[in-house]
Amino acid sequence: MRRLLLDTHTLLWWLADDPQLGRQARTLVKDARNTVMVSAASAWEISIKKAIRKLEAPEGLSNLIEDEGFESLPITFFHGERAGALPLLHRDPFDRMLVAQAQAEGLDVITSDDRIQQYGVQTVDARS
């Protein structure tokens, strides 16, 4: 059993059945023995990018997450402190929050962003 955190793009690839999401990543997400989590930071990022028309994404994201059997991961005060204390290897605040949550909660991140691995968290290449 693995505890997985989907990066925002990985979540969107999953929901769209995008071929960029690789076979290994799909298998891990589909495996009922694994816990798959989606951060509130991803909902926040998607909402902002939709509002400024940089992204098209489905409506009713929280219902879709639930329908997929994924768990929502709230942002805690501890996560916020941890994200703020991270070295500036990555400037994206949403990705920094995902790193902080992965560190704090012992999660492997499914991502295609190589910079996330620089923080010492376990990652799975979303394209593999």
Side-chain angles (χ1 to χ4, degrees):
M1 182 189 101
R2 291 178 79 172
R3 293 173 32 84
L4 305 166
L5 177 61
L6 300 182
D7 196 345
T8 304
H9 65 274
T10 306
L11 169 65
L12 293 171
W13 290 352
W14 174 266
L15 293 175
D17 197 26
D18 191 308
Q20 292 181 85
L21 187 61
R23 188 171 32 147
Q24 177 192 10
R26 285 181 191 279
T27 299
L28 287 170
V29 173
K30 284 182 196 176
D31 189 334
R33 295 172 296 180
N34 294 331
T35 300
V36 179
M37 305 190 90
V38 176
S39 173
S42 291
W44 183 18
E45 180 179 16
I46 290 167
S47 295
I48 288 172
K49 289 183 178 178
K50 281 178 63 174
I52 61 173
R53 303 191 192 289
K54 284 184 75 175
L55 177 69
E56 288 187 30
E59 296 296 324
L61 198 55
S62 62
N63 288 335
L64 290 172
I65 299 307
E66 187 177 314
D67 291 347
E68 292 294 331
F70 302 158
E71 292 185 21
S72 296
L73 179 61
I75 297 171
T76 67
F77 197 86
F78 180 72
H79 295 149
E81 286 183 317
R82 192 168 188 127
L86 289 171
L88 286 174
L89 303 173
H90 202 313
R91 296 220 180 266
D92 184 311
F94 301 109
D95 287 330
R96 291 170 59 82
M97 178 55 70
L98 295 180
V99 167
Q101 289 181 303
Q103 289 176 342
E105 308 300 328
L107 305 170
D108 298 350
V109 184
I110 301 181
T111 184
S112 64
D113 186 341
D114 296 332
R115 292 171 292 179
I116 288 177
Q117 196 172 31
Q118 294 176 0
Y119 286 99
V121 296
Q122 290 293 108
T123 61
V124 174
D125 186 346
R127 298 162 293 199
S128 67

